[in-house]
Amino acid sequence: MGRYLLKRFLYLIPIMLGVSIITFALINLAPGDPAELILQADGMELTREAVEALREELGLNDPFYVRYGRWLWNVCRLDLGESFRTGRPVTEEIFYRLPATIELTFAALVFMVIVALPAGILSALYRHTLIDHLNRLWALLGASLPGFWLGLMLIYLFAVRLGLLPVMGRGSLHHLVLPAVTLGFGMAAVYTRILRASMLEALGQEYIRVARAKGLKEKWVIGRHALKNALLPAVTLLGMSFGHLLGGAAIVETIFAWPGVGKFAVDSIFNRDYPVIQGYALFMAVVFVLANLMVDLSYVSLDPRIRLERGK
Amino acid sequence: MSFVPVLKVHNLSTHFQTRHGVIKAVDGVHFMVAAGKTLGLVGESGCGKSVTALSILRLIEPPGRICSGEVWLNGCDLFKLSTKQMRQVRGREIALVFQELMTSLNPVLTIGTQLTETIFSHEDVSQAEARRRAAELLAMVGIPDPEGQMRRYPFQLSGGMRQRVMIAMALSLRPKVLIADEPTTALDVTVQAQILAELKRLQEELGMAIILITHDLGVVAAMADEVAVMYAGSIVEFGPVEKVFDYPAHPYTRSLLRSVPRLSREELAPIEGQPPTLLNLPAHCAFLSRCPKAGAECLRETPELREIGPGHAAACYRAFQSLPEEARCG
């Protein structure tokens, strides 16, 4: 187990290198000069000399590989640089906003599981009935509605028309409802479909028939024999969806003015705040890989075949 | 015959509604089996043996449906029981051993869990008591180190071991009837012999009736007291095993016996043609197109199972003529 974990952590190195090179290259291809934007934001005059001086100061005039090498060297010393905009260390900025994003992502994940688990199971148990058809309809809707549209509709309905929930910002539990639903809705739909399919597959297995022939109670047959097998593919998706939700949080945070890392990253992209964008991408890659590692570990506890094979 | 049947199946029909029409998987089946006796249910693949077994336990799932019939267990009609009462019959009164060795055990639950849950679901016992009984059962079916095996998962056991576990599971509540659907088909010959001997021994010990479903006539000869030959969803011949094997009355039984490999014979005699599809069965004898002895009378309605000797019945218009004098009734 220790060796396995070490191997998985070593995989992080090439992944982080790849992610950082790609983001570094993409930012460079994007139009817009951070030096100009910074001077504009400070209300200074945009003279050629001033821009040039600032570019020199920020190290933007060096060739691509020099800048990347310098950045990488700093990263190795756990220094992600300073934000062009705020002047504060990127690490500090990210960790300051992280709790809000984690809170939102977890709320979305909880919403997703609460909705998708019963919906998927009921759909499979009552296949081709009204419940199943309704479930499939909403799963189709959920998978095809864009998050930003859904977010605006929810704000319009629940905040503006009905006045039940706040429009934006972070604070009480009430503030969390709309952003979490917006973020989790699409994944909940996909999750419902996956659970329905894996539950149907499990229910068609011979061991389910055996369990019934043994005279076990139906809730036991479904809850223990079918569900435990059906959860295996669903758990894989759960890890991937965590990453998906983190990424999606950037848009939802912007719509709801949620003070999280995602919104900060979007603002930084508009302002060409290179160190923040770099830092955010790298940070997300690490979180994504760790989330998947957690899933693999939970898989080990769910599926004895994997646990015991590995133990050999 | 002078026995009291523990299980009696009367006019059982199970049909499957499909897009192409109704498949009559089991069509008007009758048989009975007495305590301590074994009935062999034989026939080709797809002749309705397994569906018969599932129908007895009311485990048919849509699009299948039990259309008619009665199943009497010690004088109680199982088809009239509530779902809850039926659940108590399953496993406790009638147990089933399935043919799919590799998929019959749940891959993510330990052997111990799968054994004890059967006991728990029918009896109010403590965890320790259930585990002790489960270990006893494993020892009874010849599994070494039962305590250790109980902590293992199905994928860690060999095919023979798994089948022994399945049998132990079926016997955990000492059922009155055991239905074994191809219990040894997936096993190699030596393990097959061991399992059959084990079954026989346990039958004597527990006094249960066994319905042995198989397409292996050798297994039937070794194990069964009586045999029912199924063809296209119906029983075409029924009788004591020595009578049916020595004086087969139905042409299908005769063909089936001729197709068994023997050391004294070099070539096998296959049964020409294909079994009919169970969809839209003809109104006449289903074996007609493959029957070497068919005559004009066979084109009339489907022949009923008629007694042709002591305890021996066949569904063929010409059955009586094909029997020697000493095997006939009356």
Side-chain angles (χ1 to χ4, degrees), chain B residues 2 27 60 70 73 86 95 102 135-136 164 253 266 293:
Chain B
S2 61
D27 201 22
I60 297 292
E70 289 155 20
L73 178 78
M86 192 60 215
M102 307 317 267
E136 247 176 47
R164 282 166 195 268
T253 315
E266 277 197 3
K293 296 259 187 273

Side-chain angles (χ1 to χ4, degrees), chain B residues 3-321:
Chain B
F3 65 62
V4 185
V6 54
L7 184 82
K8 213 158 100 180
V9 174
H10 180 70
N11 196 26
L12 176 69
S13 293
T14 303
H15 297 175
F16 289 78
Q17 193 74 47
T18 69
R19 215 178 297 168
H20 308 287
V22 177
I23 292 176
K24 295 180 177 173
V26 174
D27 201 22
V29 161
H30 301 264
F31 62 79
M32 53 181 90
V33 57
K37 297 285 178 195
T38 301
L39 169 75
L41 196 57
V42 296
E44 290 165 285
S45 305
C47 71
K49 300 175 302 234
S50 299
V51 176
T52 304
L54 292 173
S55 301
I56 291 172
L57 279 175
R58 283 171 50 188
L59 286 171
I60 297 292
E61 280 166 41
R65 201 168 64 85
I66 299 168
C67 302
S68 68
E70 289 155 20
V71 174
W72 294 87
L73 178 78
N74 285 331
C76 166
D77 186 356
L78 298 186
F79 290 177
K80 293 217 165 67
L81 296 183
S82 68
T83 316
K84 197 179 165 198
Q85 287 168 320
M86 192 60 215
R87 191 178 69 70
Q88 281 155 359
V89 169
R90 295 184 192 129
R92 186 183 192 86
E93 308 284 332
I94 307 178
L96 197 50
V97 175
F98 286 82
Q99 56 177 320
E100 298 295 330
L101 277 187
M102 307 317 267
T103 52
S104 287
L105 290 167
N106 193 326
V108 297
L109 299 177
T110 60
I111 302 297
T113 305
Q114 298 190 57
L115 271 165
T116 50
E117 69 179 2
T118 319
I119 301 171
F120 279 135
S121 64
H122 292 280
E123 284 174 25
D124 196 14
V125 292
S126 69
Q127 174 82 29
E129 169 67 8
R131 284 197 81 84
R132 189 190 59 74
R133 274 172 58 181
E136 247 176 47
L137 283 161
L138 289 179
M140 185 171 78
V141 295
I143 288 182
D145 181 25
E147 293 285 344
Q149 301 296 348
M150 275 170 60
R151 281 189 294 273
R152 302 180 81 182
Y153 288 90
F155 76 96
Q156 296 173 296
L157 304 185
S158 67
M161 285 291 216
R162 267 185 237 196
Q163 192 59 305
R164 282 166 195 268
V165 170
M166 287 301 294
I167 292 172
M169 214 150 79
L171 297 179
S172 54
L173 297 158
R174 305 190 162 238
K176 297 190 178 71
V177 180
L178 177 75
I179 306 177
D181 190 354
E182 308 266 7
T184 55
T185 306
L187 304 173
D188 57 57
V189 195
T190 43
V191 181
Q192 182 173 335
Q194 283 170 10
I195 298 263
L196 289 177
E198 209 69 59
L199 265 180
K200 194 117 193 159
R201 187 179 66 75
L202 293 167
Q203 180 180 33
E204 279 162 20
E205 203 177 310
L206 305 173
M208 64 188 172
I210 297 181
I211 299 175
L212 185 68
I213 299 176
T214 180
H215 61 260
D216 189 335
L217 295 172
V219 169
V220 172
M223 289 285 291
D225 301 291
E226 289 190 300
V227 60
V229 182
M230 264 188 106
Y231 187 77
S234 304
I235 289 181
V236 294
E237 184 158 1
F238 182 91
V241 78
E242 63 280 6
K243 283 267 170 52
V244 175
F245 277 31
D246 290 345
Y247 308 109
H250 196 282
Y252 175 64
T253 315
R254 280 201 293 276
S255 311
L256 210 56
L257 286 166
R258 268 203 301 273
S259 65
V260 175
R262 292 222 173 108
L263 285 174
S264 56
R265 206 171 46 204
E266 277 197 3
E267 276 190 40
L268 285 178
I271 307 175
E272 297 297 333
Q274 292 289 323
T277 83
L278 298 175
L279 196 70
N280 309 322
L281 276 174
H284 54 70
C285 175
F287 191 59
L288 180 73
S289 60
R290 303 168 82 184
C291 185
K293 296 259 187 273
E297 70 271 36
C298 303
L299 275 166
R300 289 185 310 199
E301 59 194 8
T302 314
E304 300 240 325
L305 205 59
R306 287 180 306 154
E307 192 160 29
I308 49 165
H312 188 179
C316 176
Y317 291 118
R318 302 190 151 199
F320 205 65
Q321 297 130 340

Side-chain angles (χ1 to χ4, degrees), chain A residues 52-301:
Chain A
E52 201 50 45
L54 188 56
R55 283 186 66 85
E56 197 60 47
E57 189 191 321
L58 295 174
L60 292 171
N61 283 335
D62 297 327
F64 176 82
Y65 62 89
V66 175
R67 276 178 289 141
Y68 182 71
R70 188 165 53 219
W71 178 81
L72 196 62
W73 173 241
N74 286 332
V75 169
C76 290
R77 295 183 306 162
L78 299 177
D79 176 12
L80 288 174
E82 280 156 12
S83 163
F84 289 169
R85 229 165 9 126
T86 63
R88 286 167 54 185
V90 172
T91 326
E92 204 174 287
E93 293 280 13
I94 288 179
F95 278 102
Y96 174 66
R97 289 170 173 82
L98 194 62
T101 299
I102 297 280
E103 180 183 304
L104 176 60
T105 312
F106 262 102
L109 207 65
V110 168
F111 166 77
M112 187 181 100
V113 172
I114 287 177
V115 171
L117 203 65
I121 294 171
L122 284 177
S123 241
L125 290 181
Y126 299 99
R127 183 156 63 141
H128 301 321
T129 62
L130 186 66
I131 298 176
D132 187 25
H133 293 315
L134 287 176
N135 263 329
R136 285 160 77 176
L137 180 72
W138 96 256
L140 182 72
L141 278 176
S144 28
L145 293 179
F148 62 86
W149 184 85
L150 182 72
L152 293 178
M153 286 299 117
L154 288 177
I155 290 176
Y156 177 71
L157 188 67
F158 289 100
V160 180
R161 293 302 294 251
L162 299 173
L164 292 174
L165 295 161
V167 178
M168 52 180 65
R170 180 180 177 223
S172 66
L173 207 61
H174 283 95
H175 285 89
L176 194 56
V177 178
L178 289 184
V181 170
T182 309
L183 186 56
F185 200 78
M187 284 313 285
V190 178
Y191 210 63
T192 304
R193 292 304 302 264
I194 297 266
L195 256 172
R196 177 185 183 271
S198 58
M199 194 70 190
L200 277 178
E201 203 201 318
L203 283 172
Q205 296 292 323
E206 193 74 6
Y207 54 76
I208 294 296
R209 202 175 247 177
V210 173
R212 288 200 174 115
K214 290 197 291 189
L216 301 188
K217 288 198 180 84
E218 195 58 19
K219 62 178 179 198
W220 194 261
V221 173
I222 287 158
R224 187 148 192 179
H225 284 264
L227 194 60
K228 204 168 174 203
N229 283 282
L231 279 180
L232 292 176
V235 164
T236 319
L237 188 78
L238 198 66
M240 298 206 305
S241 57
F242 187 73
H244 212 92
L245 291 175
L246 273 178
I251 295 165
V252 175
E253 282 174 4
T254 310
I255 299 172
F256 289 93
W258 189 265
V261 188
K263 184 176 182 299
F264 182 58
V266 172
D267 292 345
S268 303
I269 291 169
F270 285 135
N271 291 301
R272 300 287 178 274
D273 195 343
Y274 291 175
V276 175
I277 304 171
Q278 268 308 119
Y280 174 75
L282 197 68
F283 184 75
M284 281 300 141
V286 174
V287 172
F288 201 98
V289 171
L290 289 183
N292 274 297
L293 181 65
M294 296 291 282
V295 169
D296 284 0
L297 293 181
S298 70
Y299 225 94
V300 171
S301 69

